Amino acid sequence: MKNIISMKNVSLIREDRVILKDINWEIKEKEHWVILGLNGSGKTSILNIVTGYQYPTKGEVSVLGHQFGKTNLPELRKQIGFVSSSLDRFNQTLRAETVEDIVISGKFATIGLYENVANEDREQAEQLMASLRIDHLKGKTYDTLSEGEKRKVLIGRALMAKPKLLILDEPTIGLDILAREDILSLTKEIIAHQQCHVLYVTHYIEEIIEEMTHVLLLKEGQIVAGSSPNYCVNSPLIDNMDLMT
């Protein structure tokens, strides 16, 4: 079975501080993983390595069959959809963009739309918006949306390029209960209908939906466990992680 992500003996050290230590982890085809851990556990560092924005101090990494050190990272990133509150730093660019243009921009992996757009791209964006229940937002600018609506628009943007891997990095952070449930419902639908592997990052146990096949427990830069959701959630190991419920 093909590996979607493979990390072998990966460690990350910055200024004599061990951020990740001896990470051995694989995501195989048809698997959908939750990375569960507190802030500072190493979740963001793993994502930075997966997306090629940070190189490990030691170890081997391959993503979607591309071995790091022997691949074109910008081209690889076009196969990875990424949704994170960290994208808020681009608000100055996004704020005046229409919802449909933000979704379309995902095809070009840009923040802002700078390319000529074909009619089929606009049709694809409209179909995506309908499937994400945001088609009623067409024509609205990003700065007029609620936080939940913004998050769904960014999910649409991430899906526009038909990624093989979709990373949802704490997608419910800052949302109220109803908006959070809406995002979780959409995640279920994406797993059911989109042909991509989902990597969902959170520190909330209750966000481990039944469609997720595996959970990776992280603590202080090390893997505590990597197994089925039922095993991880009910394991005595999780009692020492002080996770939110």
Side-chain angles (χ1 to χ4, degrees):
M1 185 178 290
K2 180 182 176 183
N3 288 335
I4 303 304
I5 294 175
S6 174
M7 292 188 177
K8 296 179 180 179
N9 302 316
V10 167
S11 293
L12 180 65
I13 301 171
R14 290 292 182 268
E15 298 179 353
D16 297 325
R17 177 171 168 253
V18 178
I19 299 172
L20 296 174
K21 182 178 181 181
D22 297 329
I23 300 295
N24 288 283
W25 176 46
E26 291 181 343
I27 295 181
K28 298 184 181 296
E29 286 184 331
K30 299 183 180 180
E31 293 180 351
H32 305 282
W33 281 70
V34 173
I35 298 181
L36 188 66
L38 293 173
N39 292 336
S41 61
K43 302 190 303 295
T44 298
S45 294
I46 282 185
L47 295 188
N48 286 340
I49 290 173
V50 168
T51 52
Y53 288 108
Q54 199 164 35
Y55 264 79
T57 306
K58 70 171 186 177
E60 299 178 7
V61 179
S62 68
V63 177
L64 299 174
H66 297 264
Q67 186 176 344
F68 282 25
K70 299 180 180 179
T71 193
N72 184 323
L73 289 176
E75 287 301 313
L76 170 62
R77 291 185 193 116
K78 292 179 181 178
Q79 301 178 57
I80 301 173
F82 184 64
V83 178
S84 172
S85 59
S86 66
L87 294 174
D88 290 347
R89 68 185 186 276
F90 298 111
N91 272 346
Q92 194 60 35
T93 300
L94 291 171
R95 61 187 305 275
E97 297 280 331
T98 62
V99 166
E100 58 270 28
D101 280 355
I102 292 172
V103 172
I104 292 169
S105 72
K107 178 177 180 177
F108 308 102
T110 60
I111 300 295
L113 192 57
Y114 310 103
E115 307 279 347
N116 292 324
V117 179
N119 288 334
E120 53 264 34
D121 292 334
R122 294 203 176 275
E123 291 172 2
Q124 180 190 343
E126 289 181 3
Q127 291 171 2
L128 257 179
M129 289 166 63
S131 69
L132 296 173
R133 302 187 290 277
I134 54 173
D135 47 327
H136 64 287
L137 300 176
K138 183 178 178 180
K140 291 190 175 183
T141 55
Y142 191 73
D143 61 350
T144 66
L145 307 181
S146 69
E147 290 304 311
E149 290 169 341
K150 289 179 179 178
R151 215 59 55 84
K152 287 193 284 185
V153 169
L154 293 178
I155 291 174
R157 176 184 175 276
L159 291 173
M160 184 67 189
K162 299 179 180 178
K164 295 179 181 178
L165 174 64
L166 175 64
I167 298 174
L168 300 176
D169 179 18
E170 300 194 15
T172 67
I173 192 168
L175 303 185
D176 61 32
I177 292 175
L178 290 177
R180 184 171 85 163
E181 290 302 313
D182 201 13
I183 294 297
L184 292 174
S185 176
L186 284 177
T187 302
K188 294 180 181 183
E189 293 173 21
I190 288 168
I191 291 173
H193 302 298
Q194 300 287 338
Q195 294 183 339
C196 62
H197 300 81
V198 173
L199 178 56
Y200 190 103
V201 180
T202 185
H203 50 258
Y204 291 102
I205 295 173
E206 68 270 26
E207 291 189 0
I208 304 176
I209 56 177
E210 62 184 9
E211 286 75 9
M212 306 307 293
T213 61
H214 294 76
V215 174
L216 185 74
L217 296 182
L218 280 181
K219 184 176 182 179
E220 297 176 354
Q222 298 184 69
I223 293 176
V224 176
S227 189
S228 69
N230 185 60
Y231 172 82
C232 287
V233 170
N234 293 295
S235 170
L237 296 169
I238 210 165
D239 296 334
N240 298 320
M241 295 183 67
D242 300 319
L243 291 162
M244 300 182 184
T245 59

